[in-house]
Amino acid sequence: LAKTTQPISMDSYEGQEVNITCSHNNIATNDYITWYQQFPSQGPRFIIQGYKTKVTNEVASLFIPADRKSSTLSLPRVSLSDTAVYYCLVVRGGNTGFQKLVFGTGTRLLVSP
Amino acid sequence: GAVVSQHPSWVICKSGTSVKIECRSLDFQATTMFWYRQFPKQSLMLMATSNEGSKATYEQGVEKDKFLINHASLTLSTLTVTSAHPEDSSFYICSADPGAYGYTFGSGTRLTVV
């Protein structure tokens, strides 16, 4: 699966929009991009997944350009509780139940008052 | 939504003893579960893939005799850290795929070996 690269850390303030970009240059045709959030001393939590263009849910938006070599997780109007580590992963489409998830370094987001 | 329950949430044990961590899928069946280890300020590292009714598959560098995995049913996988030593102190997390978007992770187990 494609290796992902993301910034190690980002800082923001409450109420701002945060965009975290992930590069995955070797993404394959049947790969999806998935983002997880992890708070300290907790397991990761699924945020959003997409294949191309734009996906939006109640938590975030995911933007994927046509070449799919990168993706951007957008968190609107962040609050202090959004302080966490965000992981971008590439997963193979199809029967994912047997697929290992390989986590990269993640992006440590710190939201300040 | 799908829940993976992990128990205990934290454990302290003496060096040389064994510790068992349980991972249960509460409202779905999981033929496969995954075990991760995470050190402070680091990312999750996949340790092994737990397969119901068969032997676990370990990642390179993970001692299978030290980290015993049993997946006896479609809802339960256990990780036993045998003869634990201080360097085994870490945060252990399990996960499974409920079939919907994204994998579900347990809340993790903080192991401290003294």
Side-chain angles (χ1 to χ4, degrees):
Chain A
L1 290 171
K3 181 180 177 181
T4 60
T5 303
Q6 12 176 168
I8 295 296
S9 64
M10 293 183 69
D11 295 320
S12 184
Y13 293 96
E14 284 188 292
Q16 291 191 334
E17 178 184 76
V18 171
N19 296 306
I20 306 175
T21 298
C22 176
S23 69
H24 26 78
N25 291 318
N26 297 320
I27 191 168
T29 302
N30 55 346
D31 289 342
Y32 287 75
I33 298 106
T34 305
W35 286 79
Y36 286 81
Q37 174 192 55
Q38 185 183 27
F39 297 113
S41 297
Q42 293 186 29
R45 180 178 74 105
F46 171 82
I47 299 176
I48 198 167
Q49 177 171 296
Y51 183 80
K52 62 179 179 180
T53 61
K54 177 183 175 182
V55 179
T56 297
N57 61 23
E58 65 277 6
V59 177
S61 295
L62 179 60
F63 298 91
I64 305 168
D67 67 4
R68 305 198 328 120
K69 292 183 182 299
S70 67
S71 59
T72 299
L73 174 72
S74 181
L75 304 173
R77 298 179 299 282
V78 294
S79 63
L80 298 178
S81 62
D82 292 316
T83 293
V85 179
Y86 293 83
Y87 293 98
C88 164
L89 289 84
V90 170
V91 297
R92 186 62 42 86
N95 189 350
T96 60
F98 308 98
Q99 183 178 169
K100 298 184 288 188
L101 296 185
V102 179
F103 285 78
T105 59
T107 298
R108 192 172 297 274
L109 173 66
L110 174 62
V111 180
S112 300
Chain B
V3 176
V4 169
S5 175
Q6 193 170 338
H7 179 80
S9 56
W10 61 270
V11 58
I12 301 173
C13 72
K14 291 184 176 181
S15 186
T17 62
S18 296
V19 173
K20 179 184 286 188
I21 302 170
E22 292 188 349
C23 180
R24 295 181 183 271
S25 55
L26 295 187
D27 46 7
F28 66 99
Q29 294 182 333
T31 304
T32 302
M33 291 186 176
F34 302 90
W35 287 95
Y36 294 82
R37 179 167 55 179
Q38 186 175 34
F39 294 107
K41 303 291 187 183
Q42 294 188 23
S43 183
L44 285 79
M45 184 188 77
L46 180 65
M47 298 175 65
T49 302
S50 172
N51 304 298
E52 187 269 335
S54 64
K55 291 182 179 180
T57 305
Y58 292 83
E59 295 299 303
Q60 190 173 8
V62 177
E63 300 176 60
K64 62 180 181 181
D65 294 331
K66 181 169 189 60
F67 299 100
L68 300 179
I69 291 174
N70 184 275
H71 195 153
S73 77
L74 288 172
T75 59
L76 174 64
S77 175
T78 61
L79 169 68
T80 300
V81 183
T82 64
S83 187
H85 291 286
E87 57 265 31
D88 299 323
S89 297
S90 189
F91 191 55
Y92 293 86
I93 310 169
C94 64
S95 78
D97 180 15
Y101 272 142
Y103 280 57
T104 297
F105 288 78
S107 55
T109 298
R110 174 77 57 194
L111 170 63
T112 301
V113 184
V114 297

